């Protein structure tokens, strides 16, 4: 079941499964060469996570991304990131430079999953650096959706290198123990990301004519 969930979640993240695309147990089971039982369990998890919803008639479909809801999501993420940066700076935590090097390398390529994974790895390290496990637990609840948003935006983003310049500046401020600068840079980083993704998602919705949706638009299976 975990494998099926991972495959489907990755496909939704990278856009292989587009918003509004219909899914059926039979088709997925045939494509992945598995029985229907793990597919049903995976679909229930995806529905609970707000990635799919009941489709008209039969089956389920990928939920459309609602720019307004995504903006609210980034507000919550910003609060968590800023708190993590402040706490990390108080201990002069050194974030592994290799994470940033790997992120820069990924940003130069076309592997969308590697780009998103690198970004997630940096922010996960930031949460860990805070020393407060509740920050990671809270953030993890939303990262499945942030991964999807990043996947949609990074496909055409021209700001990949800039993102890693911002990550480097945040890491430097933290290691220097400059909490005020770390907080300022982190807040600015998330606000820029929020503006970028909300605008880009709005553009994509206008182009495709998709109806916005969010996790609250689907219930548990």
């Amino acid at each position: 079941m975990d494998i099926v969930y991972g495959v489907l979640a990755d496909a939704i993240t990278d856009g292989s499964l587009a918003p509004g695309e219909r899914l059926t147990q039979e088709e997925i089971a045939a494509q992945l060469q598995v029985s229907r039982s793990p597919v049903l369990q995976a679909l229930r998890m995806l529905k609970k996570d707000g990635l799919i919803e009941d489709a008209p008639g039969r089956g389920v479909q990928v939920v459309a991304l609602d720019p307004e809801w995504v903006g609210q999501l980034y507000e919550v993420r910003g609060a968590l990131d800023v708190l993590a940066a402040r706490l990390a700076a108080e201990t002069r935590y050194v974030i592994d430079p290799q994470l940033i090097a790997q992120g820069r390398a990924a940003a130069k390529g076309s592997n969308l999953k590697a780009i998103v994974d690198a970004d997630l790895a940096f922010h996960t390290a930031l949460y860990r650096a805070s020393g407060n496990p509740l920050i990671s637990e809270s953030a993890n609840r939303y990262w499945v959706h942030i991964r999807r948003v990043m996947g949609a935006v990074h496909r055409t983003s021209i700001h990949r290198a800039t993102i890693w310049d911002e990550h480097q500046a945040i890491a430097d401020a933290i290691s220097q123990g400059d909490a005020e600068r770390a907080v300022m840079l982190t807040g600015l980083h998330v606000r820029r990301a929020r503006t970028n993704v909300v605008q880009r998602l709005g553009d994509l919705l206008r182009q495709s004519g998709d109806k916005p949706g969010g996790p609250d638009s689907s219930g548990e299976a």
Side-chain angles (χ1 to χ4, degrees):
M1 185 272 292
D2 290 342
I3 294 176
V4 176
Y5 176 92
V7 170
L8 294 175
D10 285 345
I12 293 172
T13 297
D14 67 21
S16 299
L17 291 175
E21 185 163 348
R22 187 183 295 264
L23 308 173
T24 66
Q25 296 179 40
E26 296 82 0
E27 291 175 350
I28 296 170
Q31 291 172 2
L32 300 182
Q33 297 184 334
V34 297
S35 68
R36 291 178 57 182
S37 178
V39 173
L40 176 59
Q41 294 178 51
L43 291 178
R44 283 176 174 169
M45 284 189 63
L46 290 168
K47 190 175 180 183
K48 182 178 179 181
D49 288 342
L51 296 175
I52 63 173
E53 62 187 353
D54 290 330
R58 181 169 176 264
V60 294
Q61 63 188 15
V62 178
V63 173
L65 287 166
D66 176 8
E68 181 179 359
W69 184 85
V70 169
Q72 296 168 345
L73 173 64
Y74 269 72
E75 289 176 349
V76 174
R77 172 192 164 181
L80 293 171
D81 283 19
V82 163
L83 175 59
R86 179 183 295 280
L87 294 175
E90 290 176 357
T91 62
R92 295 178 178 267
Y93 190 97
V94 178
I95 294 177
D96 186 357
Q98 190 63 27
L99 290 177
I100 295 177
Q102 291 171 350
R104 290 189 185 278
K108 294 178 181 178
S110 58
N111 186 328
L112 186 60
K113 186 175 186 301
I115 292 169
V116 173
D117 285 348
D119 203 325
L120 174 58
F122 175 83
H123 286 276
T124 298
L126 175 61
Y127 303 145
R128 185 167 56 248
S130 73
N132 185 338
L134 294 179
I135 294 178
S136 290
E137 291 177 15
S138 300
N140 286 342
R141 177 181 177 184
Y142 304 106
W143 265 96
V144 63
H145 303 290
I146 292 176
R147 282 178 61 89
R148 187 182 175 203
V149 173
M150 290 168 58
V153 172
H154 278 313
R155 277 195 293 276
T156 57
S157 177
I158 61 174
H159 303 294
R160 294 175 184 172
T162 303
I163 289 171
W164 287 97
D165 289 341
E166 294 175 8
H167 286 169
Q168 181 68 71
I170 292 169
D172 289 344
I174 289 173
S175 65
Q176 293 162 8
D178 192 339
E180 289 188 9
R181 182 168 176 75
V183 165
M184 182 272 291
L185 290 173
T186 302
L188 180 60
H189 174 68
V190 178
R191 286 194 298 275
R192 284 175 175 168
R194 179 182 182 275
T195 299
N196 182 36
V197 299
V198 169
Q199 178 180 345
R200 181 58 184 148
L201 287 175
D203 292 342
L204 291 173
L205 285 172
R206 283 189 290 273
Q207 293 169 11
S208 65
D210 285 334
K211 179 181 178 181
D216 289 340
S217 65
S218 64
E220 296 185 16

